PDB file of all heavy atoms in Angstrom:
ATOM      1  N   LEU A  31      50.103  47.095  39.960  1.00 34.00           N
ATOM      2  CA  LEU A  31      51.104  46.180  40.382  1.00 34.00           C
ATOM      3  C   LEU A  31      50.687  45.514  41.605  1.00 34.00           C
ATOM      4  O   LEU A  31      51.233  44.443  41.966  1.00 34.00           O
ATOM      5  CB  LEU A  31      52.369  46.945  40.599  1.00 34.00           C
ATOM      6  CG  LEU A  31      52.932  47.659  39.368  1.00 34.00           C
ATOM      7  CD1 LEU A  31      54.342  48.294  39.722  1.00 34.00           C
ATOM      8  CD2 LEU A  31      53.093  46.762  38.263  1.00 34.00           C
ATOM      9  N   CYS A  32      49.767  45.985  42.345  1.00 39.00           N
ATOM     10  CA  CYS A  32      49.300  45.278  43.544  1.00 39.00           C
ATOM     11  C   CYS A  32      48.052  44.492  43.347  1.00 39.00           C
ATOM     12  O   CYS A  32      47.564  43.815  44.249  1.00 39.00           O
ATOM     13  CB  CYS A  32      49.001  46.302  44.699  1.00 39.00           C
ATOM     14  SG  CYS A  32      50.407  47.131  45.282  1.00 39.00           S
ATOM     15  N   CYS A  33      47.506  44.506  42.124  1.00 39.00           N
ATOM     16  CA  CYS A  33      46.158  44.009  41.834  1.00 39.00           C
ATOM     17  C   CYS A  33      46.287  42.842  40.788  1.00 39.00           C
ATOM     18  O   CYS A  33      45.246  42.768  40.063  1.00 39.00           O
ATOM     19  CB  CYS A  33      45.230  44.961  41.454  1.00 39.00           C
ATOM     20  SG  CYS A  33      44.997  46.353  42.753  1.00 39.00           S
ATOM     21  N   VAL A  34      47.277  42.080  40.683  1.00 29.00           N
ATOM     22  CA  VAL A  34      47.312  41.002  39.725  1.00 29.00           C
ATOM     23  C   VAL A  34      46.790  39.649  40.405  1.00 29.00           C
ATOM     24  O   VAL A  34      47.576  39.113  41.035  1.00 29.00           O
ATOM     25  CB  VAL A  34      48.741  40.865  39.201  1.00 29.00           C
ATOM     26  CG1 VAL A  34      48.766  39.701  38.060  1.00 29.00           C
ATOM     27  CG2 VAL A  34      49.302  42.139  38.618  1.00 29.00           C
ATOM     28  N   TYR A  35      45.557  39.511  40.215  1.00 27.00           N
ATOM     29  CA  TYR A  35      44.842  38.365  40.931  1.00 27.00           C
ATOM     30  C   TYR A  35      44.240  37.305  39.786  1.00 27.00           C
ATOM     31  O   TYR A  35      43.320  37.899  39.010  1.00 27.00           O
ATOM     32  CB  TYR A  35      43.767  38.813  41.863  1.00 27.00           C
ATOM     33  CG  TYR A  35      44.377  39.233  43.166  1.00 27.00           C
ATOM     34  CD1 TYR A  35      45.110  40.381  43.300  1.00 27.00           C
ATOM     35  CD2 TYR A  35      44.153  38.434  44.266  1.00 27.00           C
ATOM     36  CE1 TYR A  35      45.521  40.826  44.484  1.00 27.00           C
ATOM     37  CE2 TYR A  35      44.652  38.824  45.575  1.00 27.00           C
ATOM     38  CZ  TYR A  35      45.419  40.047  45.626  1.00 27.00           C
ATOM     39  OH  TYR A  35      45.860  40.502  46.834  1.00 27.00           O
ATOM     40  N   ALA A  36      44.738  36.119  39.845  1.00 27.00           N
ATOM     41  CA  ALA A  36      44.077  35.212  38.888  1.00 27.00           C
ATOM     42  C   ALA A  36      44.172  33.860  39.545  1.00 27.00           C
ATOM     43  O   ALA A  36      45.141  33.150  39.340  1.00 27.00           O
ATOM     44  CB  ALA A  36      44.865  35.219  37.455  1.00 27.00           C
ATOM     45  N   ASP A  88      53.335  30.008  45.398  1.00 88.00           N
ATOM     46  CA  ASP A  88      54.497  30.162  44.399  1.00 88.00           C
ATOM     47  C   ASP A  88      55.872  30.073  45.209  1.00 88.00           C
ATOM     48  O   ASP A  88      56.910  30.041  44.518  1.00 88.00           O
ATOM     49  CB  ASP A  88      54.477  31.363  43.551  1.00 88.00           C
ATOM     50  CG  ASP A  88      54.421  32.741  44.336  1.00 88.00           C
ATOM     51  OD1 ASP A  88      54.787  32.651  45.503  1.00 88.00           O
ATOM     52  OD2 ASP A  88      54.118  33.797  43.688  1.00 88.00           O
ATOM     53  N   LYS A 133      53.191  27.956  36.203  1.00 87.00           N
ATOM     54  CA  LYS A 133      52.727  29.283  35.818  1.00 87.00           C
ATOM     55  C   LYS A 133      52.473  30.011  37.073  1.00 87.00           C
ATOM     56  O   LYS A 133      51.767  29.581  37.921  1.00 87.00           O
ATOM     57  CB  LYS A 133      51.438  29.145  34.975  1.00 87.00           C
ATOM     58  CG  LYS A 133      50.855  30.493  34.624  1.00 87.00           C
ATOM     59  CD  LYS A 133      49.392  30.401  34.118  1.00 87.00           C
ATOM     60  CE  LYS A 133      48.845  31.790  33.753  1.00 87.00           C
ATOM     61  NZ  LYS A 133      47.516  31.646  33.135  1.00 87.00           N
ATOM     62  N   LEU A 134      53.155  31.206  37.171  1.00 84.00           N
ATOM     63  CA  LEU A 134      52.966  32.106  38.309  1.00 84.00           C
ATOM     64  C   LEU A 134      51.793  32.918  37.942  1.00 84.00           C
ATOM     65  O   LEU A 134      51.605  33.596  36.958  1.00 84.00           O
ATOM     66  CB  LEU A 134      54.172  33.042  38.454  1.00 84.00           C
ATOM     67  CG  LEU A 134      55.606  32.309  38.837  1.00 84.00           C
ATOM     68  CD1 LEU A 134      56.646  33.366  39.012  1.00 84.00           C
ATOM     69  CD2 LEU A 134      55.416  31.456  40.101  1.00 84.00           C
ATOM     70  N   LEU A 135      50.739  32.985  38.948  1.00 83.00           N
ATOM     71  CA  LEU A 135      49.505  33.640  38.832  1.00 83.00           C
ATOM     72  C   LEU A 135      49.592  35.141  39.285  1.00 83.00           C
ATOM     73  O   LEU A 135      48.661  35.845  38.967  1.00 83.00           O
ATOM     74  CB  LEU A 135      48.435  32.824  39.477  1.00 83.00           C
ATOM     75  CG  LEU A 135      48.217  31.425  39.192  1.00 83.00           C
ATOM     76  CD1 LEU A 135      47.141  30.869  39.963  1.00 83.00           C
ATOM     77  CD2 LEU A 135      47.844  31.396  37.616  1.00 83.00           C
ATOM     78  N   GLY A 136      50.679  35.436  39.988  1.00 76.00           N
ATOM     79  CA  GLY A 136      50.786  36.897  40.329  1.00 76.00           C
ATOM     80  C   GLY A 136      50.203  37.238  41.613  1.00 76.00           C
ATOM     81  O   GLY A 136      50.212  38.420  42.042  1.00 76.00           O
ATOM     82  N   ASN A 137      49.485  36.430  42.407  1.00 77.00           N
ATOM     83  CA  ASN A 137      48.814  36.694  43.706  1.00 77.00           C
ATOM     84  C   ASN A 137      49.483  35.854  44.736  1.00 77.00           C
ATOM     85  O   ASN A 137      48.688  35.530  45.745  1.00 77.00           O
ATOM     86  CB  ASN A 137      47.404  36.480  43.572  1.00 77.00           C
ATOM     87  CG  ASN A 137      47.050  35.110  43.062  1.00 77.00           C
ATOM     88  OD1 ASN A 137      47.827  34.352  42.717  1.00 77.00           O
ATOM     89  ND2 ASN A 137      45.760  34.763  43.281  1.00 77.00           N
ATOM     90  N   GLY A 138      50.599  35.446  44.631  1.00 83.00           N
ATOM     91  CA  GLY A 138      51.325  34.474  45.615  1.00 83.00           C
ATOM     92  C   GLY A 138      51.053  32.998  45.272  1.00 83.00           C
ATOM     93  O   GLY A 138      51.462  32.224  46.045  1.00 83.00           O
ATOM     94  N   GLN A 139      50.313  32.831  44.169  1.00 88.00           N
ATOM     95  CA  GLN A 139      50.036  31.395  43.854  1.00 88.00           C
ATOM     96  C   GLN A 139      50.631  31.042  42.500  1.00 88.00           C
ATOM     97  O   GLN A 139      51.007  31.912  41.652  1.00 88.00           O
ATOM     98  CB  GLN A 139      48.448  31.404  43.728  1.00 88.00           C
ATOM     99  CG  GLN A 139      47.717  31.700  44.937  1.00 88.00           C
ATOM    100  CD  GLN A 139      47.780  30.469  45.935  1.00 88.00           C
ATOM    101  OE1 GLN A 139      47.315  29.293  45.643  1.00 88.00           O
ATOM    102  NE2 GLN A 139      48.428  30.742  47.096  1.00 88.00           N
ATOM    103  N   ALA A 140      50.626  29.722  42.304  1.00 89.00           N
ATOM    104  CA  ALA A 140      51.299  29.130  41.041  1.00 89.00           C
ATOM    105  C   ALA A 140      50.370  27.930  40.672  1.00 89.00           C
ATOM    106  O   ALA A 140      49.713  27.414  41.558  1.00 89.00           O
ATOM    107  CB  ALA A 140      52.708  28.778  41.149  1.00 89.00           C
ATOM    108  N   HIS A 463      42.385  39.537  35.660  1.00 92.00           N
ATOM    109  CA  HIS A 463      43.847  39.765  35.632  1.00 92.00           C
ATOM    110  C   HIS A 463      44.015  41.252  35.375  1.00 92.00           C
ATOM    111  O   HIS A 463      43.409  41.841  34.354  1.00 92.00           O
ATOM    112  CB  HIS A 463      44.404  38.837  34.590  1.00 92.00           C
ATOM    113  CG  HIS A 463      45.995  38.780  34.691  1.00 92.00           C
ATOM    114  ND1 HIS A 463      46.760  38.713  35.824  1.00 92.00           N
ATOM    115  CD2 HIS A 463      46.896  38.761  33.682  1.00 92.00           C
ATOM    116  CE1 HIS A 463      47.944  38.622  35.573  1.00 92.00           C
ATOM    117  NE2 HIS A 463      48.195  38.580  34.253  1.00 92.00           N
TER     118      HIS A 463
END
Side-chain angles (χ1 to χ4, degrees):
L31 300 184
C32 293
C33 301
V34 183
Y35 277 71
D88 61 14
K133 176 186 175 183
L134 298 181
L135 300 178
N137 59 346
Q139 296 285 297
H463 193 42

